[in-house]
Amino acid sequence: MHLSIVIPAYNEETRIEATLREAADWLAAQSFDSEIVVVDDGSRDATGNKVAAFAQHSPVPLRLVTLPENRGKGAAVRIGMFETAQGDYRAFSDADASTPLS
């Protein structure tokens, strides 16, 4: 089994690291393969840079997709789910971690 978690993000530099840490730690503790896909939806802040830096030491594979302009949450989720994620099972979580993965 393989699970992909897609996280759409727009101007989330202040909270994306905590969200990624929580998601990566939870996924690393599971018995199945997993990945995190962050779709940066044209952010104008350092969201993409923070995701790229976290990816360097993430305990699970993490891929960043950067959209050149803001296309909206629906487009970001769709691109993450259908064009990027590789898991047999796919879910998405908001960048504010309003619903914990656990």
Side-chain angles (χ1 to χ4, degrees), residues 21-37:
R21 188 174 306 107
E22 178 184 335
D25 289 348
W26 184 81
L27 289 168
Q30 306 310 307
S31 62
F32 48 82
D33 292 332
S34 61
E35 69 173 350
I36 298 171
V37 175

Side-chain angles (χ1 to χ4, degrees), residues 4-97:
S4 296
I5 300 295
V6 174
I7 301 175
Y10 178 69
N11 292 340
E12 296 288 351
E13 73 178 343
T14 61
R15 57 183 162 195
I16 194 69
E17 289 177 277
T19 298
L20 293 175
R21 188 174 306 107
E22 178 184 335
D25 289 348
W26 184 81
L27 289 168
Q30 306 310 307
S31 62
F32 48 82
D33 292 332
S34 61
E35 69 173 350
I36 298 171
V37 175
V38 177
V39 181
D40 181 357
D41 188 20
S43 294
R44 296 178 184 202
D45 63 4
T47 297
N49 293 336
K50 293 202 173 198
V51 173
F54 185 88
Q56 297 298 313
H57 61 82
S58 177
V60 297
L62 189 155
R63 290 187 289 142
L64 171 63
V65 176
T66 303
L67 303 182
E69 61 184 29
N70 180 257
R71 295 179 54 194
K73 182 177 177 179
V77 171
R78 186 177 63 251
I79 288 166
M81 290 284 193
F82 299 116
E83 296 179 22
T84 310
Q86 298 177 346
D88 298 317
Y89 299 93
R90 301 167 189 195
F92 85 91
S93 178
D94 288 328
D96 66 358

